[in-house]
């Protein structure tokens, strides 16, 4: 039990690594929390620092979720990797290393899915970029990606075998992502949400 608790704490700490803050301050001398939405995630990094920084932060945030989900396997513990992944999402959203002001958990959630269900991850990525190309809204595309993951889990369960823990976690993550984007939803409705210009 102690080992499991320590791994979950480690997963939270991994999620708490503020990729956006590190990249911004190290390479651009900019604290992205003082710009745009004030979040530390990839979306605000894209908006504040550009494509290169945005891609770097997004990739780092994905890997945080993947590594956190892999921890129970690495340490041979009898605990569902998805649980460790959720702790990483909490860490990313409320990071102890950045005053508990983090991102919206889209990329880190994707990292969990990458470890637990790679085909779902690939499907979600394709849908995300199609939506992004059409709408130019990162926030909307992120929410659509979350809904896609839930639909994938449901369809996969109907066609093959139900993975109830995965369905529950994906549903939780999608709901959490949408909740975190509630301000974006209002801006989209008011047509004041910023659109990307690089795709």
């Amino acid at each position: 039990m102690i080992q499991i608790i320590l791994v979950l704490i480690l997963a939270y700490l991994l999620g708490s690594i503020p990729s956006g803050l590190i990249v911004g301050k190290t390479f651009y001398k900019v604290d992205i929390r003082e710009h745009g939405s004030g979040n530390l995630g990839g979306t605000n990094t894209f908006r504040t620092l550009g494509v290169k920084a945005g891609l770097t932060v997004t990739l780092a945030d994905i890997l945080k979720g993947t590594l956190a989900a892999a921890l129970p396997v690495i340490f041979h513990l009898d605990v569902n990797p998805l649980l460790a992944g959720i702790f990483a999402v909490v860490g990313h959203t409320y990071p102890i290393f950045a005053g508990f002001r983090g991102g919206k958990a889209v990329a880190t959630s994707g990292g969990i899915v990458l470890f637990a269900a790679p085909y779902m991850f690939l499907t979600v990525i394709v849908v995300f970029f199609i939506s992004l190309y059409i709408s130019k809204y990162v926030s909307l595309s992120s929410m659509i990606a979350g809904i896609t993951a839930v639909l994938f889990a449901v369809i996969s369960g109907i066609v093959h075998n139900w993975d109830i823990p995965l369905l529950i976690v994906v549903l939780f993550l999608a709901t959490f992502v949408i909740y975190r984007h509630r301000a974006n939803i209002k801006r989209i409705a008011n047509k004041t949400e910023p659109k990307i210009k690089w795709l």
Side-chain angles (χ1 to χ4, degrees):
M1 179 60 71
I2 294 177
Q3 287 179 318
I4 292 175
I5 292 173
L6 289 175
V7 162
L8 295 180
I9 292 173
L10 179 57
Y12 168 80
L13 294 176
L14 273 173
S16 289
I17 297 173
S19 309
L21 187 62
I22 293 171
V23 170
K25 285 196 169 184
T26 302
F27 299 103
Y28 298 86
K29 310 302 179 186
V30 171
D31 185 339
I32 65 171
R33 294 174 299 181
E34 299 173 356
H35 302 272
S37 65
N39 288 311
L40 283 178
T43 300
N44 197 39
T45 306
F46 272 110
R47 184 181 300 130
T48 304
L49 303 178
V51 176
K52 186 177 180 180
L55 287 174
T56 301
V57 170
T58 299
L59 180 60
D61 288 345
I62 289 173
L63 292 177
K64 288 193 306 187
T66 303
L67 180 57
L71 288 176
V73 177
I74 293 172
F75 290 102
H76 307 288
L77 296 178
D78 186 21
V79 59
N80 196 313
L82 295 169
L83 179 60
I86 289 176
F87 272 77
V89 165
V90 174
H92 176 76
T93 309
Y94 306 106
I96 193 172
F97 302 129
F100 301 99
R101 291 175 54 199
K104 295 181 179 177
V106 177
T108 305
S109 297
I112 301 170
V113 173
L114 173 60
F115 180 82
Y119 289 116
M120 177 189 291
F121 177 81
L122 291 175
T123 301
V124 166
I125 287 294
V126 170
V127 170
F128 173 84
F129 278 105
I130 290 174
S131 173
L132 188 60
Y133 179 77
I134 294 172
S135 71
K136 309 301 182 189
Y137 289 129
V138 176
S139 54
L140 177 62
S141 301
S142 298
M143 291 183 281
I144 290 175
I147 295 170
T148 299
V150 174
L151 292 175
F152 188 102
V154 171
I155 294 172
S156 179
I158 294 172
V159 175
H160 301 291
N161 296 315
W162 288 96
D163 187 338
I164 300 302
L166 178 63
L167 175 61
I168 291 173
V169 169
V170 167
L171 182 59
F172 166 77
L173 292 175
T175 303
F176 186 63
V177 165
I178 292 172
Y179 170 77
R180 291 283 290 169
H181 281 86
R182 59 196 184 281
N184 302 81
I185 294 172
K186 292 180 180 179
R187 288 196 295 268
I188 290 172
N190 296 329
K191 298 182 179 180
T192 57
E193 177 77 350
K195 292 186 176 184
I196 63 165
K197 299 178 181 179
W198 50 269
L199 184 64

